[in-house]
Structures are given as C-alpha cells and as structure tokens.
Amino acid sequence: MMADRINRRDALIGIAATGALPAICPGPAIGATGSSTTAVELAAAIRSGRRSARETVDLHLDRIAAVNPRLNAVVQLTADAARREADEADAMLARGQVKGPLHGVPVTIKDTLETAGTICTGGTLGRANYVPKADATAVARLRAAGAIVLGKTNVPELAGALETDNLVYGRTNNPYDLARTPGGSSGGEAAIVAAAGSPLGLGTDAGGSIRVPAHYCGLAALKPTSGRVPRTGQFPRPMGARNAVFHVSLIARSVDDLALALPIIAGPDFHDYTIVDLPLLDSRAVDLSKLRLAFFDDDGLAPPTAEIAAAVHHAVEALALAGVTVTERRPPDAAKAGTIYYDMTRGDGAAGVRAFLKSVGTERISPLFEQSLQSRSSPAMGSITEALAAFNRWDAYRNAMLAFMQDYDALLSPVLPYAAPRHGTSFDEELQKGVGYAQMHNLTGWPSATVRVGTSPEGLPLGVQVAARPWREDVALALVRQLEIRFGGWTAPNL
C-alpha cells in the first residue's frame, strides 16, 4: 500500500518512460467520423456550416435504426419532429441566428424525465400511454439551447434497479455483450450513447443510476452536486425524506460534452425548492498540481476483481504523473454505505411504493421491480423510532464523509467492484454487496464523474469514479478529463 499523503510524480516518470504504465483502453480516437462525433464537435461543425443539422439528425436516426433492434435502448422515437426541428435549425443558421450552444445537436432523454407530446412511462404499465403536457426543466433547457430530441430511452420500472427491463418495453442489452445488462436505471441511455446513436444523454442518478451504466458501457458521466440541477418533471417526483439522493445527470462519450451541457441544465427553476444558485466553475481552469486526491480500491465489504483494482491503480498513477498529490485512504464508513442507503427505504416495507403504483394505474409489477422491492425494502421496520434512526445514521454518515474530505479535493474509487454482469443477476447476493461504492455519493450528494480507463478479460469496459467536494464539479471533470486523455475513454462496441 502507498503511504499516506505522498506525491508519486517523480517515481512515476520512470514508469511512464519505460512504458510500464499501459494505455489499457486505446481504441479509436474520439470523434473520428460519422455518428461517433462528440456533441462539442457536432455543435462546432453545425455552427460553421461544415455539417447541417438535418444531416446530423438523419445520421443519428440511421444509426439508431441499425443498432436499436439488438439493443432495445430507444423506446419512443421522435424522428419526424427531430427532422422538422433540424430543418428549422438550419433555416435559423441561414439567417445568422444561433439558438444556443447545442444548436442542431441531437440528444436522447431517459424515460423518467417528462417530454411534452411524447409518451413518458417511467417503465410502469400504468403510464404506458401517458403523454406529458410539459417538458421536465432540464429537457426544456436543452431544447432552449438548441438541442434536438431524438427519442426516449428505456429504464427499469420506476427507475428501481441496476439493470433495465420492464413490462412496457422489455429488456435493454449492453452493446459490448448482448447477453449482459447495460445497467440501470439509465441503461437505455447508456446503451444508445455507447452505440453512437446519440452523442449526449440526459438521465438521473439516485443510487448509481448514471454512473453504473456509464461504467458498464464505457462512457463519461456526471452526477452533479445535489441541489445543482432541478428535478422538476422527473417521474416519480423526488419528494420526502430521501429527496436529496436524486440527481438529474448527464452521460456522453466525451468529458467535454458533460462540461458543455452542465451549465445549460443547472440553476434554480423556482419549482424545485432544493436548488441552490451557486456559480459553476470552469474545469479547464483547474490546476491539477494543486489537487489532493484520496483513493481506495476496496470498500471493506465487496472486494473488487483484479482488473477493477488494477484500473483504479493505473488511474491513480496517471493522475500522479500529471502532478496530483495522491494518497491511498479509504473513508472510515465506506463499508456501511449500502446498508445506510437501503435502511432508509425499509420503513414501511415498500407499502408506500405499492400504493403509489396503484395510484398511477399499475396493477401488475414487473418481476425485476418486485425483486427490487423484496430485496431492498423488506422487511418493514418495527417502529417509527427505528425508521427515523435510519435517517439519523444518514446524517452521521454525511458528517463523517465531509470531515474525511477536509484533507482532500477529490476521492477516486471503483464505480462497482465488477464489470457488467449477465442479465437477471444484479440481485445476486454477492453483486448486491458492491452497490455501496456508487451509493456513497448519493448519500453525500457530492458531484461524481466517471470515465472508462480499462477493459476486462471478456472485453467489457471498466470505469472509475471521481467525487469532489460539494459544488466542485469542475474538479471532478478536470480529473476524469485527464484520465480520458491518458487512457482514451470510450471505444466503439463491435455491433
């Protein structure tokens, strides 16, 4: 183990010179050609006239048509509207008008975020034909910035599992291995972005729901600080004692795309009272040589695979070489994260969730969500006092984590201790033990970003996550951008 608070930059210069620090995820260059181009590159090409918005939208619709039959990622396609909006975007440019930084850029939206005029099911049968009258705030802000929505992407029922399957649309497959899950609950979003059917996706994260799919599908993702992005228009609407664990989040093939989109969706909307009007800082202005990074590869409950542990250490070595001060240190309560998270859902043994489903017309629950309720919300706690004590433990955990972070600017770890599992196995006992790696940052509310840094022996993507202090998305993005530069980030699946 590495000694506390050491700067390994000098030692690693020799390692890099000998080639012992491998580029374990080389892949093709990001934004090479076609629909693999990033949102940043597409926006620039459209504004300059090198590519039309209509051409760009058609290219991505063609890609969706080619890959979606094998993935089942896009569940509502808004092709006609997207083409019409693309033509309007091109006409605006011809008049010298630019709608915003995403002018003409196609995007996809997770099916738990409402979209005016397009069915939003949340993966549950009671809303199979529900058409919202208004966009979720984050969706409306993307459109106002010029983005063109291609369609909605699949989720588990009520976004309640780490794999994506429901009775409305069925199962979504991982583009790197169709026999495996792309994760959940933003699994459809991750699958289509990884398959180059969309350059940028809007999702949510209440327990790893953007970071786990990004890890399974080799993508960059960002869960902003709790209180940064309004959840207005999210279904189910985040309310009550667990409100703070829910985050509207971003997923893409490039870290720069996350940095581009975050200022667009952030800030108060005067409908979500939790949102704080704090300035966003520029990730390009972060001086890596001034950052202090703690890291761990094992949370003390669920040991990682050898490849995950290696990916963490390669990432740390690369950051140390870039000038970051790195320290191997695990937060004292890391192993408790999963228990604390799920204890807060067990107060009524899921009676409230079942009543809510009936209130929206769902009489039949998907087997996956039933399994989720049985494993995560049962048995009910014996008293109100016991239920309230669970939330007291959450507060104590947040205080302990903040005290830990006093000495560091960021914390690096696995997203999960394993690569994408096979369909139907996410509730296996050994796999369930590993979810605390992701859930700890829903408990803290800290901004957390992911990026691909490696590949498993089966050819599956491996990611790491970097969490920063509250409101310091710039630090998290700067660190994962450095890892993306070093290891190559997203690599196209063989579809």
Side-chain angles (χ1 to χ4, degrees), residues 90-449:
D90 288 332
M92 285 184 66
L93 280 174
R95 298 192 299 268
Q97 300 171 325
V98 176
K99 199 171 183 181
L102 290 174
H103 190 101
V105 176
V107 300
T108 40
I109 309 295
K110 182 179 180 177
D111 195 34
T112 55
L113 292 164
E114 296 196 336
T115 40
T118 302
I119 289 173
C120 176
T121 73
T124 194
L125 285 172
R127 281 173 55 112
N129 297 304
Y130 177 76
V131 180
K133 295 179 180 179
D135 284 331
T137 292
V139 175
R141 287 175 174 177
L142 288 178
R143 290 195 205 266
I148 296 172
V149 175
L150 299 176
K152 305 296 292 293
T153 55
N154 207 18
V155 297
E157 188 163 12
L158 295 195
L162 289 182
E163 56 184 296
T164 296
D165 195 355
N166 61 61
L167 294 178
V168 183
Y169 297 121
R171 188 184 77 190
T172 299
N173 300 320
N174 189 309
Y176 294 89
D177 182 344
L178 300 180
R180 297 176 186 267
T181 179
S185 58
S186 307
E189 204 58 61
I192 201 61
V193 173
S198 170
L200 178 67
L202 189 65
T204 60
D205 190 320
S209 290
I210 203 78
R211 290 162 293 141
V212 169
H215 164 58
Y216 286 173
C217 296
L219 297 170
L222 174 68
K223 177 186 75 67
T225 306
S226 181
R228 178 69 83 181
V229 180
R231 287 88 44 86
T232 308
Q234 181 177 338
F235 174 82
R237 182 175 181 177
M239 296 181 71
R242 293 178 66 247
N243 190 324
V245 305
F246 293 88
H247 305 66
V248 171
S249 303
L250 295 161
I251 192 164
R253 294 187 297 275
S254 164
V255 173
D256 282 346
D257 290 353
L258 307 177
L260 172 67
L262 178 60
I264 295 170
I265 64 172
D269 68 347
F270 298 94
H271 293 283
D272 183 342
Y273 79 91
T274 70
I275 306 306
V276 179
D277 191 9
L278 280 179
L280 279 163
L281 301 178
D282 183 1
S283 60
R284 292 284 183 182
V286 173
D287 184 347
L288 297 181
S289 69
K290 294 181 179 179
L291 296 183
R292 301 160 299 166
L293 176 77
F295 77 95
F296 66 96
D297 61 17
D298 188 332
D299 70 352
L301 177 66
T305 65
E307 295 77 28
I308 294 282
V312 167
H313 285 271
H314 285 309
V316 170
E317 290 167 354
L319 292 176
L321 187 61
V324 178
T325 299
V326 299
T327 304
E328 186 167 18
R329 187 180 172 198
R330 182 172 69 199
D333 293 332
K336 300 178 182 179
T339 299
I340 292 170
Y341 185 91
Y342 286 125
D343 277 353
M344 294 189 300
T345 71
R346 292 198 302 109
D348 64 356
V353 173
R354 295 183 188 279
F356 174 76
L357 284 167
K358 287 187 177 181
S359 77
V360 299
T362 296
E363 298 293 335
R364 185 159 59 101
I365 300 173
S366 70
L368 180 67
F369 194 50
E370 184 64 52
Q371 194 174 10
S372 175
L373 294 179
Q374 290 293 333
S375 66
R376 297 175 174 181
S377 301
S378 298
M381 289 183 169
S383 67
I384 293 293
T385 300
E386 186 182 358
L388 289 174
F391 288 91
N392 291 339
R393 290 192 291 274
W394 182 19
D395 283 344
Y397 180 86
R398 286 189 278 193
N399 284 335
M401 288 291 283
L402 197 60
F404 170 87
M405 208 64 163
Q406 185 174 3
D407 293 328
Y408 307 102
D409 299 291
L411 175 64
L412 185 148
S413 73
V415 181
L416 288 181
Y418 43 79
R422 295 189 176 278
H423 292 296
T425 65
S426 64
F427 288 105
D428 290 359
E429 183 177 355
E430 287 304 308
L431 296 186
Q432 275 292 290
K433 288 181 180 178
V435 298
Y437 287 88
Q439 288 170 339
M440 69 170 56
H441 299 310
N442 293 97
L443 294 176
T444 64
W446 297 346
S448 306

